[in-house]
Amino acid sequence: MTYSRDERKFALLLFLFLSFSLSTQAQQFSVKSFRTIPNDLTAFHTPVYDLNHDACALIKVVGDARFVFDSPLGIVKRTDEVGEVWIYLPQGSVMLTIRHPEWGVLRDYRLAEPLVANITYELVLAPPVQAVTPTIVEVEELKIEKVEEKEPVTEHVPTLDVVEKVTVKEKLQIMALTQVGIGPKSMAYGLRIGVLRKHGVYLMAETDFKSAPSTSGECDADGVVKGTSSAAYYSGEIKRSLKRVMVGGMHRLVGGLHIYEGVGYGSYVVAWGTSNGDYYKNTHDSATGLSAEVGVLYLLGKVAFSAGASTIMGKHWETNVGIGVSF
């Protein structure tokens, strides 16, 4: 018997459909996971009791609502909730039979552990994995068209202009501060002038406006004149003279807060007077040579404040405070 082309196509499609249906029916659902939910207190707050008046365990089943459950000890209660089914089983249950009207039966599924009263569990059921049926496409005729070669089109790519990096400089500031230097037995006055952006430099000069007297020699802390073994007759008059010239740098830390440090030359002379009008330089208290200072400076609007400490040769020390303007 000879069949037409349409009849053969129909028979082939019918065969593929029946094969797909049989393979689908043969597949079965499975248990994806089973676990305890320690933070779920549903079985504790709303307990269900079995015939022996013992509290049941609760299994929340996530899956198709058409599943039917059974166990050797029985199902005490079933509640269909949104997205899941709640089944209450007697404590100690270890097996569960699960049925579905289309996907078959999973008989005597053994739970991971015996159920405990007032504890909530979760059972996730996975539906069967559907087989993917390939689609058969009948190709009537393959037509090949000749494509004429065309000259390649050169696409114009715009040239990116080079963007120069522009560095914005901070505003140049000029500061002028008057300051007071306070030592153990001296007081001096100074002027500090500086220029800076983030970093800068300054020049500072300080004096007590006193001149050191002419001295006839030097003596130590006990008054003994150097080159001799005896002390002179001192009148108790003491003259002091202080001068300092400093140069240094300033650096902005954050906001108006700055630090400064500098070095320079300093002279602090202490002279003791004698009864005959002569003076001897006390080398123990005097200091001449390298001077250094550090401090902080704060700008509040146009007003500048400073505070620091300085020394001459590590022998003479003083505290410096100042106030001035910035423009």
Side-chain angles (χ1 to χ4, degrees):
M1 180 181 293
T2 303
Y3 296 96
S4 65
R5 181 181 178 181
D6 292 339
E7 289 174 338
R8 290 196 301 270
K9 184 186 296 185
F10 175 77
L12 177 60
L13 293 177
L14 179 61
F15 173 75
L16 293 175
F17 175 76
L18 291 176
S19 300
F20 173 75
S21 300
L22 291 174
S23 63
T24 301
Q25 294 294 332
Q27 297 182 50
Q28 194 178 44
F29 65 90
S30 62
V31 175
K32 185 176 181 180
S33 65
F34 176 77
R35 68 185 182 96
T36 306
I37 312 177
N39 297 327
D40 192 328
L41 302 180
T42 306
F44 180 81
H45 290 308
T46 57
V48 174
Y49 299 94
D50 60 13
L51 296 178
N52 298 322
H53 203 68
D54 293 327
C56 295
L58 170 61
I59 298 180
K60 294 185 176 181
V61 183
V62 180
D64 195 291
R66 294 176 293 172
F67 280 111
V68 179
F69 307 92
D70 192 11
S71 75
L73 299 182
I75 303 297
V76 178
K77 181 180 178 181
R78 169 181 173 142
T79 303
D80 293 331
E81 300 291 340
V82 178
E84 58 187 12
V85 178
W86 294 5
I87 55 174
Y88 292 86
L89 290 86
Q91 62 175 338
S93 299
V94 294
M95 286 189 179
L96 191 66
T97 297
I98 310 170
R99 297 181 175 86
H100 193 275
E102 295 181 6
W103 300 336
V105 180
L106 180 61
R107 196 180 306 279
D108 294 337
Y109 171 74
R110 181 171 293 274
L111 303 176
E113 58 184 57
L115 300 183
V116 180
N118 297 123
I119 298 299
T120 302
Y121 302 84
E122 180 188 63
L123 177 67
V124 180
L125 299 177
V129 178
Q130 299 293 337
V132 179
T133 303
T135 303
I136 300 176
V137 179
E138 183 177 359
V139 180
E140 295 290 343
E141 183 179 359
L142 180 61
K143 295 182 179 181
I144 302 176
E145 296 182 359
K146 184 178 180 181
V147 180
E148 296 182 359
E149 295 184 358
K150 297 181 180 181
E151 295 183 0
V153 179
T154 302
E155 183 179 356
H156 175 69
V157 180
T159 303
L160 297 178
D161 295 333
V162 178
V163 180
E164 295 183 357
K165 183 179 180 181
V166 179
T167 303
V168 180
K169 292 185 178 180
E170 296 187 20
K171 179 183 177 182
L172 180 66
Q173 293 178 297
I174 301 176
M175 293 182 298
L177 296 88
T178 58
Q179 73 172 34
V180 177
I182 303 172
K185 296 180 179 180
S186 65
M187 181 173 290
Y189 307 91
L191 176 65
R192 188 187 306 273
I193 299 176
V195 292
L196 82 156
R197 288 190 173 96
K198 183 176 178 58
H199 303 281
V201 296
Y202 71 88
L203 177 67
M204 192 278 297
E206 184 184 64
T207 179
D208 60 359
F209 298 104
K210 296 178 181 179
S211 299
S214 300
T215 58
S216 301
E218 297 177 344
C219 65
D220 57 18
D222 297 329
V224 177
V225 178
K226 289 187 177 182
T228 68
S229 59
S230 60
Y233 293 96
Y234 297 104
S235 62
E237 182 183 9
I238 301 176
K239 290 188 176 182
R240 296 179 174 86
S241 174
L242 186 146
K243 295 177 178 62
R244 285 196 311 133
V245 177
M246 309 290 296
V247 62
M250 295 182 291
H251 317 280
R252 181 169 63 85
L253 298 180
V254 60
L257 182 62
H258 299 69
I259 61 172
Y260 68 84
E261 71 286 331
V263 294
Y265 174 82
S267 173
Y268 178 64
V269 178
V270 179
W272 286 3
T274 63
S275 57
N276 59 5
D278 294 331
Y279 289 89
Y280 288 92
K281 179 181 178 181
N282 187 320
T283 56
H284 179 271
D285 296 335
S286 299
T288 301
L290 179 66
S291 178
E293 67 175 358
V294 293
V296 295
L297 186 147
Y298 188 77
L299 295 179
L300 183 60
K302 297 292 185 179
V303 183
F305 303 90
S306 67
S310 62
T311 182
I312 301 175
M313 297 297 292
K315 296 178 64 176
H316 175 75
W317 293 84
E318 65 179 34
T319 301
N320 313 109
V321 292
I323 186 173
V325 295
S326 171
F327 51 89

